[in-house]
Amino acid sequence: MEYKYQVVEIDCADCAAELADEIRKIDGVQSADIHFMQEKLIFSCDESLHDEIEKKVFDIIHNDEPDAKITPIMDEESHPYKFKIKNIDCADCANELAEKAMHIQGVERAESDFIHAVMTVWFPTKEYARIEKELADMIAKEEPDVEFSRYYTEHTQQQEENHEQQTMIIRLIVGALLFGVALFTHDLFSNIVAIISFVVLGYDVVLKAFGNLRRGHLLDEHFLMTIATFAALYLGDFKEATAVMLFYQVGEFFQDLAVDRSRKSIASLMDIRPDFASVQSGDTFIQVDPSQVNVGDIIQVKPGERIPLDGVIVAGSSSLDTASLTGESNLKDVDVGDEVISGVVSTNGVIQIQVTKEYGDSTVAKILNLIESDNDSKSSQEKFITKFSHYYTPIVVGLAILVAIVVGIVSRDINEGIYRACTFLVISCPCALVISIPLSFFAGIGGLSANGIMLKGSNYVEQIAKLDTIVFDKTGTLTTGKFAVSKVLGSNDDNTVLRIAAYAESYSNHPIARAIQSAYQEEIDPSRIQDLKEIAGRGIVLKLDGRDVLVGNYKLMQENNIACMEYNEAGTYVYVAQDGNFLGCILLKDTIKNGAEEAVHQLSKNHACMMVSGDAQAICDEVGAELHMKDVYGECLPEDKIAYVNKQKSQGSVAFVGDGVNDVPVMRSADIGFAMGMQGSDAAIEAADVVITDDNLDKISVTIQHAKRIIRIANENIVFAIAIKVLALILGALGIANMWMAIFADTGVAILCVLNAVRLLKVRA
């Protein structure tokens, strides 16, 4: 059972993490976490052990943090609600709003997503109206320019170019032209033109700085730029003040443009939400919201429309474009009786579909939930940047004041001290880091999503990148889970054996019957069949063209005194006899998935690959031999699979790949769980960390390689941004770097890091 507590006055995030580690070591504790930002403790244990464990938890916290206050959370269960925070300036500003939201009574947790401009707040449903109003009031006070509204996830139509963007372009052009005039003129006229250019370019920055100052926000980029440029004006460097503001605004414009373009790129790649469903009403079809369609209803899909709900085709045929779900551009032909999934586009022909799942349970709803759902855990890079930005800017501002004092005293020129301090202030803004690092993971996960690979959070990227072993389930994962005729044994005429078996199985929908019918491939004439009877646990007895036929297992042959041998090769057998004579035995086997051998081969180059399955060892060995997999373990119960996974975990990081309900415990025990999204059970998809929507095993290798690329680019951005800033700070302190170099160290580096991160939208196969 899970227990929640409010914990306040813990000193730092590291202290919270150390406390959580100590709590996890208590006997009986199943899991434990302390969320420092949310001031919340969660641990799980058996209800019978709660009182004893609670006392130990309290003792651990009070021993290390004597001032901490712990109170149980007994309120109604909280739910996440999303709100748009349009026009939020920076990631730090978004995080500060989330921290402020946490102080609203009833709010259990709050997180801001600067990239999406969304704030997610957890609170009881009954408090919605009050908390929404208090959030709106708080944001209006803290960030007056932010537009706060409820978050709606309807399909978004392409908008005309933003009016604010057009206004900014005009301001940049006018300001640049005036600055050019100031450069080529002299004296008073030049200074007046430079000041006018400064006002045109920077009035909004100055207004925001003073607005933030009134609210106690001293260390944002607007304040830093205002102080730096006002200092340049005070020193009489009108042109330099204008130049700094011009290049700052140009940098901010392109930085915002790059982030906005990346948002739109990812949104367009995963634009799979259906706008409507045309549901049958009498003799006509009416357009309704997909959520209003019931199971059993008939919907119509025309060429070019997206299938809104899962179902079975009852009329018409078409070719489906599945690229939005799988990343593959191949068309899939479908006809009456075929199952279709939501989110794909019908390219030709009008089809009618009988709905088999409500919208909330449909394929597209599950995928969108994976994409849009919030995740508690962030990557270590994101955690580092969050902590770094809290300490970095105040430290640099303190150093800037120190530089102003030291340089002023040493050089006996206070103006030189002020100038160098202002250079420090411009450099200090950590925008390149707080924007580009989350964007690296956002773009990387978005690129994978567009290729049919759904990751449930950025924290899994690191674990995937360092995988050592891949453990596979067999049925439905490496194999199709469908029977196919492998060969006919002991026969003089294979076609006759297949024909007789196909007639015997013609009334059955059993997987074995369908496999035999598929192998025969000819039409069945029902008039040739008489007196067909099914004998439970044995098979089928019938007359075919007036002749006595037996089709079933070995026991059926024995009981009817048919002389034949019992075959022991791995697989499933169907024995066939006619008029008391044995004709042959059909061997059926589960078929290897297309591409499975190549997928295992690619993974084996850098990872250990093994198979664990509940099937017979002989069957598993045969599949393992076909896939060139050495470590194969059959006849495994779920606990046996967990034991094998845990054994491998002692040697490194382990992923488990499965599709069934029985795979859920193993997925949870592995470091990373991969689920097959097309054939996989709902429970497996829910438990997995990664979902492959089209069951393509090649994409496991793609996921691992792309995860490594995400980590590499995120680390590149961290090293590059910090290195440039440290260098610029040193040069600024020595008086070598001027304001222009400071602007590059701020917005220039941010743009380069953002462009580097956006490369992750492209996934290398």
Side-chain angles (χ1 to χ4, degrees):
M1 190 168 177
E2 187 174 81
Y3 298 93
K4 300 179 182 179
Y5 301 81
Q6 194 78 26
V7 184
V8 297
E9 296 188 26
I10 291 180
D11 288 337
C12 64
D14 281 343
C15 304
E18 289 173 5
L19 288 172
D21 287 338
E22 289 296 317
I23 293 169
R24 292 188 198 105
K25 295 175 183 177
I26 298 174
D27 288 340
V29 171
Q30 297 161 353
S31 64
D33 279 298
I34 296 180
H35 300 278
F36 175 69
M37 297 300 295
Q38 288 83 37
E39 299 181 321
K40 183 176 168 186
L41 160 68
I42 304 173
F43 70 81
S44 298
C45 67
D46 289 337
E47 191 172 359
S48 60
L49 299 175
H50 170 255
D51 292 344
E52 178 187 348
I53 289 176
E54 183 185 60
K55 183 179 183 303
K56 292 180 180 179
V57 169
F58 283 22
D59 288 343
I60 287 172
I61 294 175
H62 286 136
N63 286 340
D64 288 358
E65 298 283 342
D67 297 329
K69 297 179 178 64
I70 314 168
T71 53
I73 298 174
M74 306 297 291
D75 296 335
E76 174 196 339
E77 183 181 356
S78 295
H79 300 279
Y81 294 96
K82 292 186 177 183
F83 301 92
K84 289 291 291 182
I85 45 175
K86 186 180 177 183
N87 300 330
I88 190 72
D89 286 328
C90 64
D92 270 346
C93 307
N95 290 334
E96 285 178 13
L97 288 181
E99 290 182 31
K100 295 281 185 182
M102 283 289 299
H103 293 100
I104 295 175
Q105 184 179 358
V107 172
E108 182 179 317
R109 180 167 138 222
E111 293 180 2
S112 288
D113 182 350
F114 171 67
I115 299 296
H116 291 90
V118 170
M119 177 189 286
T120 305
V121 186
W122 281 257
F123 54 83
T125 305
K126 66 181 181 182
E127 301 284 353
Y128 189 98
R130 177 184 65 80
I131 291 177
E132 182 187 37
K133 183 179 183 304
E134 291 190 28
L135 283 169
D137 293 343
M138 179 272 291
I139 290 174
K141 177 183 176 183
E142 299 295 328
E143 294 283 348
D145 294 330
V146 169
E147 295 180 20
F148 175 79
S149 62
R150 294 182 183 181
Y151 178 80
Y152 295 101
T153 57
E154 291 91 352
H155 176 75
T156 54
Q157 304 294 332
Q158 186 172 0
Q159 302 290 326
E160 294 182 5
E161 187 172 9
N162 190 284
H163 174 70
E164 293 178 7
Q165 194 177 89
Q166 292 177 332
T167 302
M168 192 66 214
I169 291 173
I170 293 171
R171 285 176 56 199
L172 290 175
I173 292 173
V174 172
L177 290 174
L178 289 172
F179 177 64
V181 171
L183 281 179
F184 294 101
T185 55
H186 303 284
D187 302 326
L188 181 61
F189 178 77
S190 175
N191 291 339
I192 291 173
V193 173
I195 292 172
I196 294 172
S197 175
F198 177 84
V199 172
V200 170
L201 291 165
Y203 74 88
D204 57 332
V205 174
V206 175
L207 290 176
K208 285 179 181 177
F210 282 105
N212 290 340
L213 187 62
R214 287 197 303 273
R215 295 186 294 274
H217 298 173
L218 298 179
L219 300 179
D220 70 343
E221 59 183 342
H222 302 109
F223 175 78
L224 300 178
M225 283 302 304
T226 299
I227 292 297
T229 52
F230 273 25
L233 293 173
Y234 162 76
L235 296 174
D237 296 330
F238 300 106
K239 294 175 185 176
E240 184 164 32
T242 304
V244 168
M245 188 60 75
L246 171 62
F247 286 102
Y248 168 76
Q249 289 285 47
V250 168
E252 286 292 298
F253 176 76
F254 283 109
Q255 176 181 296
D256 293 343
L257 194 64
V259 172
D260 189 53
R261 289 284 171 85
S262 68
R263 285 175 179 167
K264 290 178 180 177
S265 295
I266 296 169
S268 64
L269 287 172
M270 288 309 301
D271 187 17
I272 61 174
R273 190 183 305 278
D275 299 324
F276 59 86
S278 296
V279 66
Q280 188 174 38
S281 177
D283 296 330
T284 61
F285 288 87
I286 58 172
Q287 290 187 359
V288 300
D289 189 276
S291 62
Q292 297 175 351
V293 180
N294 298 315
V295 172
D297 286 350
I298 304 297
I299 59 174
Q300 184 184 74
V301 180
K302 297 178 180 178
E305 292 180 353
R306 196 176 297 279
I307 295 178
L309 296 140
D310 297 358
V312 177
I313 296 178
V314 294
S317 60
S318 180
S319 295
L320 304 182
D321 181 358
T322 62
S324 58
L325 296 188
T326 67
E328 305 293 338
S329 58
N330 298 331
L331 296 178
K332 178 184 179 182
D333 294 330
V334 291
D335 209 331
V336 174
D338 289 337
E339 293 184 1
V340 293
I341 58 175
S342 52
V344 301
V345 176
S346 176
T347 62
N348 54 50
V350 177
I351 54 176
Q352 292 182 13
I353 301 168
Q354 185 173 42
V355 176
T356 56
K357 292 181 181 179
E358 293 181 351
Y359 178 73
D361 296 324
S362 67
T363 301
V364 70
K366 289 178 181 177
I367 291 174
L368 288 169
N369 184 56
L370 288 178
I371 298 168
E372 294 171 353
S373 62
D374 220 10
N375 294 280
D376 292 344
S377 301
K378 295 182 178 181
S379 68
S380 61
Q381 285 86 348
E382 290 175 294
K383 291 176 182 176
F384 165 73
I385 293 308
T386 300
K387 186 182 295 185
F388 179 87
S389 62
H390 277 291
Y391 297 108
Y392 168 78
T393 303
I395 289 172
V396 173
V397 170
L399 289 174
I401 295 171
L402 183 62
V403 165
I405 295 171
V406 172
V407 171
I409 293 173
V410 172
S411 66
R412 297 183 180 180
D413 184 353
I414 191 61
N415 289 343
E416 179 63 21
I418 292 172
Y419 184 86
R420 294 193 195 182
C422 289
T423 303
F424 245 70
L425 291 175
V426 175
I427 294 168
S428 69
C429 186
C431 289
L433 292 167
V434 295
I435 292 174
S436 66
I437 305 309
L439 182 59
S440 298
F441 288 88
F442 172 53
I445 293 172
L448 287 172
S449 298
N451 283 268
I453 303 165
M454 307 297 164
L455 263 68
K456 295 184 179 178
S458 58
N459 54 308
Y460 300 116
V461 173
E462 299 163 276
Q463 200 69 49
I464 293 168
K466 60 182 183 182
L467 284 174
D468 299 298
T469 304
I470 315 294
V471 180
F472 292 90
D473 176 46
K474 182 184 76 68
T475 306
T477 303
L478 293 170
T479 66
T480 61
K482 298 177 181 178
F483 286 107
V485 173
S486 175
K487 55 187 173 182
V488 180
L489 305 169
S491 166
N492 294 322
D493 186 349
D494 293 356
N495 289 332
T496 298
V497 174
L498 277 174
R499 176 178 57 80
I500 292 173
Y503 269 84
E505 300 281 10
S506 60
Y507 288 98
S508 175
N509 285 319
H510 189 277
I512 291 176
R514 289 199 297 268
I516 292 173
Q517 293 160 16
S518 176
Y520 180 55
Q521 291 186 335
E522 295 184 25
E523 288 189 21
I524 301 294
D525 181 3
S527 65
R528 298 171 62 184
I529 302 171
Q530 298 91 34
D531 301 333
L532 186 146
K533 295 179 182 178
E534 184 169 349
I535 302 173
R538 296 295 184 266
I540 295 170
V541 177
L542 73 152
K543 285 186 180 295
L544 181 64
D545 296 330
R547 306 179 72 175
D548 294 325
V549 170
L550 300 173
V551 175
N553 57 23
Y554 181 68
K555 288 183 179 179
L556 181 65
M557 300 295 113
Q558 282 184 310
E559 291 170 0
N560 287 274
N561 300 315
I562 305 297
C564 67
M565 66 174 290
E566 183 177 8
Y567 295 93
N568 296 311
E569 186 178 342
T572 300
Y573 297 94
V574 175
Y575 293 79
V576 179
Q578 182 174 265
D579 292 336
N581 298 312
F582 175 69
L583 297 184
C585 179
I586 301 171
L587 173 62
L588 298 101
K589 294 183 178 181
D590 190 0
T591 54
I592 303 290
K593 277 186 179 179
N594 288 334
E597 183 178 352
E598 178 60 24
V600 172
H601 173 69
Q602 290 297 327
L603 287 167
S604 297
K605 292 179 180 178
N606 299 300
H607 306 83
C609 292
M610 60 184 292
M611 180 202 307
V612 293
S613 173
D615 281 356
Q617 185 67 49
I619 294 174
C620 294
D621 287 338
E622 187 172 330
V623 172
E626 287 189 54
L627 298 175
H628 307 290
M629 195 180 291
K630 296 179 181 178
D631 297 318
V632 176
Y633 304 94
E635 302 173 10
C636 294
L637 296 172
E639 52 266 36
D640 298 323
K641 295 180 181 181
I642 292 173
Y644 283 120
V645 166
N646 288 337
K647 181 180 178 182
Q648 293 300 314
K649 283 175 70 175
S650 66
Q651 302 172 29
S653 186
V654 178
F656 181 83
V657 187
D659 73 312
V661 174
N662 63 325
D663 293 329
V664 171
V666 203
M667 282 186 184
R668 288 179 173 160
S669 68
D671 296 302
I672 291 292
F674 283 84
M676 302 293 105
M678 189 169 287
Q679 293 185 354
S681 68
D682 290 347
I685 291 170
E686 181 69 25
D689 307 309
V690 185
V691 179
I692 299 175
T693 59
D694 62 352
D695 295 3
N696 186 344
L697 292 170
D698 287 335
K699 290 183 176 178
I700 298 174
S701 180
V702 171
T703 304
I704 295 170
Q705 295 308 313
H706 196 64
K708 292 179 179 178
R709 191 164 165 246
I710 293 171
I711 298 297
R712 187 181 72 250
I713 287 179
N715 289 337
E716 284 174 1
N717 284 342
I718 291 174
V719 172
F720 175 69
I722 292 178
I724 293 296
K725 283 190 176 289
V726 169
L727 178 62
L729 288 171
I730 293 171
L731 294 177
L734 296 175
I736 299 172
N738 56 22
M739 288 285 189
W740 299 56
M741 290 181 66
I743 288 294
F744 173 75
D746 179 24
T747 56
V749 171
I751 292 171
L752 292 176
C753 288
V754 166
L755 293 176
N756 191 35
V758 169
R759 292 191 298 134
L760 289 165
L761 286 170
K762 180 70 174 177
V763 176
R764 297 171 182 171

